[in-house]
Amino acid sequence: MNVSATKIYKNLQEVLLDQGLIDEQKASEINLRQLKTGESEEEIIRSMRIVTDEKFCRAKAVLLQVDYIDLASIGFSPEALALVPESVAKKYKVVPYSMDTKEQLLKVTMVNPLDLETVEFLEKKTNYRVVTAISTEKQIDDFINEKYIREKGITSEVTKALDERKKDESAVVAETANKVSSEAPVAKIVTTILEFAVKSRASDVHIEPQEDNVRIRYRIDGILQEKYLLPRNVQDAVVSRIKILSNLKIDEKRVPQDGRFFFSSDGNDVDLRVSTLPTTYGEKVVMRLLKKSQKVPTLPDLGLRGLALKNLQEAIERPHGIIIVCGPTGSGKTTTLYSVLDKVATPKVNVVTIEDPVEYQMKGVNQVQVNVQAGLTFASALRSFLRQDPNVIMVGEIRDTETAELAINASLTGHLVFSTLHTNDAAGVPPRMLDMGVEPFLLVSSLTCVVGQRVLRKVCKDCVSEEPMTAEFEAEFKTTLGPIYNMISQKWEKDGKKITLPKIVGCDKCNHTGYMGRIAIYEVMPMSERIAKLVVEKAAASEIQKLAMEDGMLTMKQDGYVKVLEGVTTIAEVLRVAQY
């Protein structure tokens, strides 16, 4: 939160009133109690439990004109942490989270940011100018307990690496492969970064050079989270270490490179796909983690159920036709296709796939990697597949007219074809295919089913709580779900319960996010005769969706709302991915 200097407040009541957290009546109660008891405004507001600790702290930040720091969601600098001993941090309730060596600036967050004695003490101890911010006492305690104990490894290795750099600054420029690979501190920094990725279930690691530091971010459950802020001095060494592991050229920094390497942590074997990219401040590295032991989930595990699951299973059981899964990048389309392939890949069936890239290696499936430089594209592979006596063909993505026509022709000649397409919803697939130049009569003859999907985070079962259904939310559910909401509410009433909504809290297991794991929301549209007629008439996607809903299709938003009522996820998550 950045401090806003547009308005100066006299007291906390004014801030809370302005933010709509209390009303005039509550403000009068606070004033009256102050006159009667002589207690401070802070003591009264805390004892009355009017707002949560976080909201109270945010309001206080506005009053004091300082930043509020959410320690659960920011990255921290191990270099800054090393400046302030654990005993000092615990005694003064202070957390050093960032530093600027050029400006000799140390950023700390405290329970009381106006504690000038502590600020003066820190400035003398560190020889840095201290800038204060505010955080909740619980977050500060949790941060100290976690970072000082669990992160001692990376903190000490960063310090060692910096010491070595100071001894020989020219080593950064004149590094050889052997020297970098043998540098224990740098190797341990990379190992620590990867160990946290495996432990936190991250799908990607981003190492991003900034002007003043190197930001390490992890994509956990689809959301990027900042974890570490490393000093700029170790950037080249860390990137070189990763390049050596990936068999990339360490002296080539002008063009992007791709590689991969293997890593093992606590019994978890992981393949890492590495990509480097030259940026303004240096090379950015992104590592995609692919767990070798990861099992392909079943369709119900992914979130398919009811009529949607039945319609998809019926389409899969047909010997020919084309099934398309649609959604934006990162919406789980490939995972759904792998689940379907796992279901159909038997010793009696020849399954071939063309993918870019091959993310999971599946037993009993002939997987081919796209290689554009060698002339192996989706279209050229599809032509070759037809001479390989296949039963099932999976095309990673339909990107052009040629691929679309070949996929449809393959399905019309007795093959079961699976593919993906980038459209917002299931109803948008037929119009998109027609735009590509596919003949309407060929499309309706081959297309058997369309699946639209998004992935969202599941609430953490270890810390989730419940909150009552408000009138506003109830109206939203009734509008979106219609008769389905009435059926669900009647079931709750029959069980003697009131409908509640999941409320995220946050704990150590979910890294204080309130979410753990992911699930998909789906809409499955089988190609009925009525929909086929609309497609031939080149009707708009809105008309196709309306008819599909009349036939019983749940939209992704509706499926998401049902999962909210089941306590699987939150409204905020559904609206984040399915509101378009």
Side-chain angles (χ1 to χ4, degrees), residues 60 90 316:
K60 193 172 176 182
K90 280 184 175 179
I316 294 167

Side-chain angles (χ1 to χ4, degrees), residues 90-270:
K90 280 184 175 179
K91 182 178 179 181
Y92 295 103
K93 300 286 185 185
V94 59
V95 163
Y97 64 93
S98 181
M99 67 184 294
D100 186 336
T101 50
K102 288 180 184 176
E103 300 292 329
Q104 285 289 294
L105 192 72
L106 178 66
K107 292 183 178 180
V108 303
T109 184
M110 308 167 66
V111 173
N112 179 14
L114 298 186
D115 185 351
L116 299 180
E117 285 186 16
T118 299
V119 171
E120 188 179 349
F121 170 74
L122 289 172
E123 287 183 335
K124 283 181 180 177
K125 186 170 184 63
T126 63
N127 290 322
Y128 275 72
R129 184 165 59 87
V130 172
V131 175
T132 61
I134 189 170
S135 297
T136 65
E137 187 171 354
K138 184 181 184 306
Q139 279 200 339
I140 287 174
D141 289 340
D142 289 345
F143 188 96
I144 292 169
N145 291 332
E146 181 186 349
K147 308 304 180 193
Y148 276 99
I149 296 169
R150 297 183 192 174
E151 309 292 350
K152 273 183 182 176
I154 194 166
T155 303
S156 61
E157 299 308 332
V158 166
T159 307
K160 285 179 188 175
L162 287 172
D163 288 343
E164 290 187 13
R165 286 292 178 274
K166 286 173 185 175
K167 287 175 188 174
D168 185 9
E169 285 294 332
S170 62
V172 178
V173 180
E175 264 166 349
T176 62
N178 290 332
K179 187 170 182 182
V180 176
S181 62
S182 65
E183 281 191 52
V186 172
K188 285 180 182 176
I189 289 170
V190 173
T191 300
T192 304
I193 289 169
L194 295 176
E195 282 176 346
F196 181 81
V198 174
K199 178 185 168 187
S200 61
R201 304 169 294 104
S203 61
D204 300 85
V205 182
H206 292 240
I207 300 175
E208 302 168 310
Q210 309 286 301
E211 187 177 1
D212 302 318
N213 52 46
V214 181
R215 182 169 63 174
I216 312 295
R217 292 194 293 173
Y218 297 85
R219 190 174 293 280
I220 303 168
D221 294 332
I223 306 294
L224 276 173
Q225 297 179 22
E226 193 172 279
K227 173 69 177 175
Y228 302 117
L229 293 171
L230 303 182
R232 281 278 295 163
N233 294 8
V234 300
Q235 157 72 10
D236 289 341
V238 168
V239 172
S240 294
R241 171 66 181 166
I242 293 168
K243 280 184 170 182
I244 289 164
L245 292 170
S246 312
N247 290 319
L248 301 178
K249 297 176 182 176
I250 62 169
D251 58 340
E252 180 56 84
K253 301 180 181 182
R254 298 167 299 172
V255 295
Q257 296 186 68
D258 294 307
R260 61 194 310 157
F261 68 93
F262 172 81
F263 180 74
S264 183
S265 173
D266 295 330
N268 293 305
D269 296 335
V270 181

Side-chain angles (χ1 to χ4, degrees), residues 407-423:
I408 284 174
N409 288 334
S411 69
L412 289 170
T413 53
H415 304 93
L416 183 58
V417 180
F418 300 101
S419 192
T420 68
L421 198 64
H422 288 285
T423 60

Side-chain angles (χ1 to χ4, degrees), residues 215-424:
R215 182 169 63 174
I216 312 295
R217 292 194 293 173
Y218 297 85
R219 190 174 293 280
I220 303 168
D221 294 332
I223 306 294
L224 276 173
Q225 297 179 22
E226 193 172 279
K227 173 69 177 175
Y228 302 117
L229 293 171
L230 303 182
R232 281 278 295 163
N233 294 8
V234 300
Q235 157 72 10
D236 289 341
V238 168
V239 172
S240 294
R241 171 66 181 166
I242 293 168
K243 280 184 170 182
I244 289 164
L245 292 170
S246 312
N247 290 319
L248 301 178
K249 297 176 182 176
I250 62 169
D251 58 340
E252 180 56 84
K253 301 180 181 182
R254 298 167 299 172
V255 295
Q257 296 186 68
D258 294 307
R260 61 194 310 157
F261 68 93
F262 172 81
F263 180 74
S264 183
S265 173
D266 295 330
N268 293 305
D269 296 335
V270 181
D271 272 327
L272 288 108
R273 205 169 65 232
V274 179
S275 172
T276 68
L277 182 72
T279 67
T280 309
Y281 297 113
E283 284 184 286
K284 173 179 176 176
V285 178
V286 175
M287 295 181 281
R288 165 67 55 89
L289 281 77
L290 304 170
K291 286 187 180 178
K292 283 194 167 185
S293 59
Q294 190 167 329
K295 292 181 180 178
V296 177
T298 64
L299 293 174
D301 287 341
L302 292 176
L304 270 164
R305 60 192 67 184
L307 184 63
L309 179 60
K310 179 175 176 287
N311 285 335
L312 181 56
Q313 284 177 333
E314 285 178 357
I316 294 167
E317 287 165 6
R318 293 184 185 181
H320 55 81
I322 183 166
I323 297 168
I324 292 179
V325 182
C326 67
T329 303
S331 59
K333 301 186 297 294
T334 305
T335 304
T336 298
L337 285 179
Y338 279 135
S339 297
V340 171
L341 288 180
D342 192 54
K343 190 177 175 64
V344 300
T346 66
K348 296 179 180 180
V349 175
N350 180 23
V351 182
V352 286
T353 75
I354 175 70
E355 305 170 55
D356 185 21
V358 174
E359 291 195 7
Y360 298 102
Q361 294 177 352
M362 298 184 69
K363 288 183 179 179
V365 177
N366 304 289
Q367 295 170 279
V368 179
Q369 166 90 40
V370 166
N371 188 341
V372 179
Q373 291 178 339
L376 182 58
T377 63
F378 285 117
S380 64
L382 255 175
R383 287 195 192 90
S384 301
F385 284 177
L386 295 176
R387 296 190 293 273
Q388 288 284 318
D389 185 32
N391 298 101
V392 179
I393 298 171
M394 195 265 268
V395 184
E397 185 184 338
I398 293 176
R399 293 178 179 172
D400 51 43
T401 303
E402 186 183 10
T403 308
E405 288 176 346
L406 285 167
I408 284 174
N409 288 334
S411 69
L412 289 170
T413 53
H415 304 93
L416 183 58
V417 180
F418 300 101
S419 192
T420 68
L421 198 64
H422 288 285
T423 60
N424 280 336

